[in-house]
Amino acid sequence: MRRARLLTPHGPVETPVFMPVGTQATVKGVPQDILEQLGVQILLGNTYHLYLRPGIEQVRELGGLHRFMSWPRAILTDSGGFQVFSLSELRKVTEEGVTFRSHLDGSLHFLSPETAMAAQIGLGADIIMAFDECTEYPADLQRVRASMEMTLRWAERSKKYFEEHKFEVPWNSHHPSAVSRQQNPDTGKQTEGCTQALFGIVQGGMDLALRKESAERTIEIGFDGYAIGGLSVGEPRALTREVVEATLEYLPQDKPLYLMGVGTPEEIVEYAKLGVDMMDCVLPTRAARHGLLFTSEGKVSIKQARYAGDQGPLDPNCDCRVCRRYSRAYLRHLYATNEVLAQVLNTVHNLSFYLDTMQRVRHSI
Ligand SMILES: [Zn+2]
């Protein structure tokens, strides 16, 4: 378990950190000023979705993702690979890249290490991810190795493209597409002259020897941070933990370590204790929209009739703006009547719960 401060061009990030997911340049239902009040220091954006809508060039012309969504703090974008893997139809993977059909209108697109880097540079997040193939589960050893080898070749191509183009971020005023010098309202510092960080992704399926090899060869290529990918793809939880623990042993302690797509409140505490610095998951926000709330007393399914007359707060031990102000009865009513406010309040509470959980972990170190 360790504590650190990541310094990004858009402000500091205290780790271990949970990153809320803002798929379409928004954390569904929550305005940016509330995210700031909740203490969110870094958001995750999904390249696949932003590539399809509104389009990378559109975001770049509007000054990059920070300016477009009016979020002055740090952002991390994924490479788009995982969404292509999980969302799109008719995927065709070759050495060159992935051809896929949009889940929105069936239109044909192509993502490669180079185009995924170009997209993420165009969006201008502080931390961007190498383009990888998320190996499916289950898969036989031969398939896992072939997939891992391709991810390593894609990692090299990602890094090469990044090194050649990294100063083309929209907030770097030396680039012609920069709208103007941007000032970070939190730090007052100019963001010009500095640029993005690129993280590599360790694959290798559930095979510990391949995980070790993937970690060592990814480190050889050399990245600013390292992510553990290819987990939470349907494997049992005990196996996830085993793979994470084994992989962490081979990753450098002086670089940020990011576990992708994890997890429940219990899991994020567990992984922070193992030495993971960064995590993201749609669980708190997605569950909130389905009326599933995480509290200090366990999960609450707010749709249940038993809460109809409950005047108590959602979580008596939570200090968030929702628990301070509203009753379980009211939250249950909003959910039952399908009011938009139900999604807003539920999401605000679940995010608070996750962020407070991480803050307690940081304070315990
Ligand atoms: Zn609360």
Side-chain angles (χ1 to χ4, degrees):
M1 183 149 80
R2 72 236 192 106
R3 226 191 128 146
R5 178 176 295 131
L6 291 179
L7 299 175
T8 80
H10 294 85
V13 179
E14 304 294 331
T15 66
V17 66
F18 178 79
M19 304 183 282
V21 179
T23 297
Q24 317 252 32
T26 165
V27 175
K28 291 187 198 309
V30 188
Q32 276 70 326
D33 53 335
I34 293 185
L35 294 173
E36 287 169 2
Q37 285 169 21
L38 292 176
V40 175
Q41 291 184 309
I42 181 167
L43 284 182
L44 185 141
N46 288 126
T47 298
Y48 171 86
H49 289 93
L50 297 168
Y51 164 90
L52 292 177
R53 290 185 308 196
I56 304 299
E57 275 319 298
Q58 181 71 264
V59 175
R60 179 191 273 285
E61 278 166 30
L62 293 167
L65 190 51
H66 292 88
R67 174 172 285 204
F68 174 54
M69 67 181 286
S70 188
W71 178 252
R73 298 182 185 175
I75 299 176
L76 179 150
T77 48
D78 62 8
S79 70
F82 184 76
Q83 260 82 28
V84 169
F85 167 87
S86 59
L87 281 180
S88 74
E89 294 155 28
L90 294 170
R91 199 165 25 100
K92 187 166 179 287
V93 183
T94 64
E95 184 66 31
E96 194 47 38
V98 187
T99 306
F100 63 96
R101 285 197 185 276
S102 157
H103 71 292
L104 298 170
D105 60 5
S107 56
L108 209 55
H109 300 272
F110 177 70
L111 265 183
S112 67
E114 292 77 19
T115 61
M117 288 302 104
Q120 291 184 86
I121 292 168
L123 294 172
D126 299 273
I127 299 171
I128 70 174
M129 304 301 298
F131 190 67
D132 65 330
E133 181 180 55
C134 181
T135 314
E136 67 283 359
Y137 175 84
D140 65 49
L141 199 58
Q142 204 181 356
R143 159 68 192 145
V144 177
R145 169 166 282 283
S147 175
M148 180 198 83
E149 295 282 355
M150 192 167 69
T151 285
L152 286 164
R153 291 189 295 274
W154 285 2
E156 278 186 46
R157 283 166 57 188
S158 295
K159 178 161 182 199
K160 181 167 185 289
Y161 188 94
F162 177 73
E163 291 300 330
E164 288 163 1
H165 299 272
K166 64 183 176 184
F167 290 106
E168 295 168 17
V169 280
W171 35 265
N172 187 306
S173 62
H174 299 303
H175 188 261
S177 80
V179 175
S180 67
R181 290 181 177 191
Q182 285 195 26
Q183 213 172 38
N184 184 319
D186 277 8
T187 61
K189 279 187 194 151
Q190 300 288 346
T191 49
E192 85 179 282
C194 48
T195 191
Q196 304 173 293
L198 175 64
F199 282 20
I201 303 178
V202 175
Q203 290 287 348
M206 306 302 154
D207 187 84
L208 301 187
L210 287 184
R211 284 279 168 181
K212 175 175 188 277
E213 185 176 341
S214 175
E216 289 171 350
R217 290 171 61 189
T218 308
I219 292 163
E220 229 165 85
I221 297 167
F223 291 94
D224 300 310
Y226 296 91
I228 303 176
L231 294 174
S232 292
V233 287
E235 78 282 7
R237 291 296 177 199
L239 186 54
T240 316
R241 191 196 147 101
E242 192 188 335
V243 173
V244 171
E245 208 167 352
T247 308
L248 282 171
E249 274 184 51
Y250 304 110
L251 292 175
Q253 291 302 302
D254 60 345
K255 293 282 165 79
L257 306 178
Y258 166 27
L259 176 56
M260 305 177 87
V262 168
T264 64
E266 296 76 27
E267 285 164 352
I268 62 171
V269 171
E270 190 181 325
Y271 290 124
K273 285 181 176 167
L274 289 177
V276 170
D277 303 302
M278 306 162 73
M279 284 168 269
D280 78 283
C281 190
V282 292
L283 184 59
T285 41
R286 183 175 290 167
R289 297 196 301 277
H290 292 100
L292 185 66
L293 303 168
F294 297 100
T295 78
S296 58
E297 297 168 339
K299 280 182 259 185
V300 168
S301 175
I302 201 68
K303 66 185 80 169
Q304 291 175 3
R306 59 196 274 216
Y307 300 118
D310 191 336
Q311 296 188 61
L314 171 59
D315 181 350
N317 299 310
C318 178
D319 194 35
C320 87
R321 54 203 293 147
V322 177
C323 293
R324 279 202 314 258
R325 184 155 191 164
Y326 305 104
S327 67
R328 288 177 163 187
Y330 182 63
L331 293 175
R332 194 257 169 190
H333 162 74
L334 290 179
Y335 190 85
T337 51
N338 203 20
E339 283 293 328
V340 170
L341 190 58
Q343 305 206 352
V344 175
L345 299 183
N346 291 348
T347 305
V348 168
H349 165 79
N350 269 1
L351 278 182
S352 287
F353 187 77
Y354 265 65
L355 295 164
D356 289 353
T357 299
M358 274 313 204
Q359 189 164 44
R360 274 197 302 280
V361 170
R362 289 195 297 273
H363 286 167
S364 74
I365 302 174

